[in-house]
Amino acid sequence: MELIDHARVVRENAHAPYSKFKVGAAVKTASGAVYTGCNVENVAYPEGTCAEAGAIAAMCAAGEYEIAEIAVIADSPTPVPPCGGCRQKIAEFANPAAPVTLATMEGESQVTSVSALLPGAFDASHMS
Ligand code: THU
């Protein structure tokens, strides 16, 4: 199954009663394993979490820390871009050149990269 199809499947499990906007994300690690996540909203709105954050948490919980590829899908008119916070979360674990696939439920997709989504990212080198 393509990585975007893992994202499409997990999207169905999103808890999005407030925005009604379900998002699914899937990361593939250097080992080839796939971890998925969906957005989980909360009645206290700022407590909600994004699909990408869920997938990254699942990856770390499994003891893996290297994103080779990531895919995100939502029922949006154009391929759904990760929010700013998620771009930083992805950059924590991915090579700048790692491919990021953004997709709609209608089958439109776009492939970009971590560095294209977050140019000039703050990283550990800035603290040395
Ligand atoms: N959302 C994600 O899960 N990922 C993104 O990259 C964009 C936004 C979620 C958060 C919230 O539950 C809903 O989409 C509307 O913003």
Side-chain angles (χ1 to χ4, degrees), residues 28-114:
K28 184 179 275 186
T29 59
S31 76
V34 172
Y35 301 95
T36 60
C38 53
N39 53 333
V40 181
E41 297 183 350
N42 191 281
V43 65
Y45 292 0
E47 299 303 325
T49 51
C50 285
E52 297 90 328
I56 289 169
M59 176 189 75
C60 292
E64 293 216 57
Y65 305 92
E66 207 180 317
I67 296 175
E69 197 181 332
I70 181 161
V72 188
I73 192 167
D75 191 13
S76 51
T78 56
V80 64
C83 77
C86 285
R87 294 174 194 216
Q88 186 73 37
K89 290 183 177 75
I90 294 165
E92 178 74 13
F93 299 103
N95 186 289
V100 184
T101 301
L102 315 175
T104 70
M105 292 298 287
E106 305 240 292
E108 192 187 337
S109 70
Q110 175 195 337
V111 181
T112 180
S113 68
V114 172

